[in-house]
Amino acid sequence: MHLMIHLTHGPEAPTQADRAFLIAKTALRDGHQASMFLAGSAVQLVKEEHLDSVLGVGVTATELRNSVNEIIERGGRIVLSQVSCGARGITEKDFLGKKIELGSPSVLVEMTDACDKVITYG
């Protein structure tokens, strides 16, 4: 199965953000494909200041940086909304060295069409 997770919660809602990454990691660990499209406030999560500080509530919570790294290492895809990044002043410099992409609305449409199931945290 190919799972796509669309996340719009950012650092202001750490538990929702953490859970979206947990689901992506779990899918990959279980042998599925997983892609994430971050939009709205969620694009802020890739900034260095949030990667080590965003932590959801609960026993499965981990630092966001660990989740991002695991998703990428396991072959997952993370795409940031180009429109949301522009509105929040986030540039490629904010995710330099990370295998994270910028995507237009049509990339979101393509990703949705290519997957079997979509989970939205918004």
Side-chain angles (χ1 to χ4, degrees), residues 2-22:
H2 186 173
L3 180 65
M4 206 268 292
I5 299 161
H6 186 203
L7 174 65
T8 59
H9 290 293
E12 75 290 344
T15 300
Q16 289 87 344
D18 177 73
R19 293 311 177 261
F21 285 89
L22 172 66

Side-chain angles (χ1 to χ4, degrees), residues 25-94:
K25 287 190 310 189
T26 301
L28 290 162
R29 287 176 182 167
D30 290 348
H32 302 289
Q33 292 178 298
S35 301
M36 297 184 77
F37 191 93
L38 281 57
S41 182
V43 299
Q44 298 175 83
L45 295 168
V46 301
K47 295 181 91 171
E48 284 296 318
E49 65 196 72
H50 299 301
L51 285 171
D52 293 320
S53 64
V54 172
L55 187 66
V57 176
V59 288
T60 60
T62 60
E63 281 101 11
L64 185 59
R65 181 182 308 277
N66 295 336
S67 296
V68 168
N69 290 340
E70 183 174 345
I71 290 165
I72 291 168
E73 288 167 8
R74 290 183 179 270
R77 182 179 180 198
I78 300 175
V79 179
L80 305 179
S81 164
Q82 197 168 23
V83 174
S84 297
C85 285
R88 288 163 180 80
I90 294 173
T91 67
E92 291 184 9
K93 204 166 44 171
D94 290 304

